[in-house]
């Protein structure tokens, strides 16, 4: 694992220390790693949403479409119950 040193103003350092203490992180590094992971996930989701928005519609999302989704969920739930 690589090491990175960062400088924070006192107010941000206090905030980080408070979050570490209140949220059960072992160290400030764990807290910062979690923030970075969440930011990566957010950026990935944004990329997926933008790709979806730019794609052509696959079809109408009408009552029949949603009933088909419900059927798929019901069938997958029954299959999982037998395992």
């Amino acid at each position: 694992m690589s090491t990175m040193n960062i400088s924070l103003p006192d107010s941000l350092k206090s905030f980080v220390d408070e979050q570490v203490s209140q949220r059960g992180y072992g160290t400030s590094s764990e807290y910062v790693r979690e923030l970075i992971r969440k930011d990566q996930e957010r950026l990935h989701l944004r990329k997926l949403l933008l790709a979806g928005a730019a794609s052509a519609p696959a079809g109408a999302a009408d009552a029949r479409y949603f009933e088909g989704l419900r059927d798929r969920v019901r069938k997958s739930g029954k299959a999982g119950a037998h395992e």
Side-chain angles (χ1 to χ4, degrees), residues 27-44:
T27 64
S28 57
S29 292
E30 288 178 14
Y31 175 66
V32 171
R33 282 193 294 270
E34 169 114 2
L35 292 177
I36 293 169
R37 282 187 208 99
K38 285 182 179 181
D39 196 40
Q40 286 177 321
E41 291 170 2
R42 181 189 61 80
L43 291 171
H44 180 68

Side-chain angles (χ1 to χ4, degrees), residues 4-25:
M4 176 185 287
N5 296 313
I6 59 170
S7 298
L8 298 173
D10 290 339
S11 61
L12 288 180
K13 172 76 168 84
S14 295
F15 178 80
V16 169
D17 291 342
E18 188 176 309
Q19 295 306 302
V20 169
S21 173
Q22 290 180 356
R23 297 170 76 184
Y25 293 99

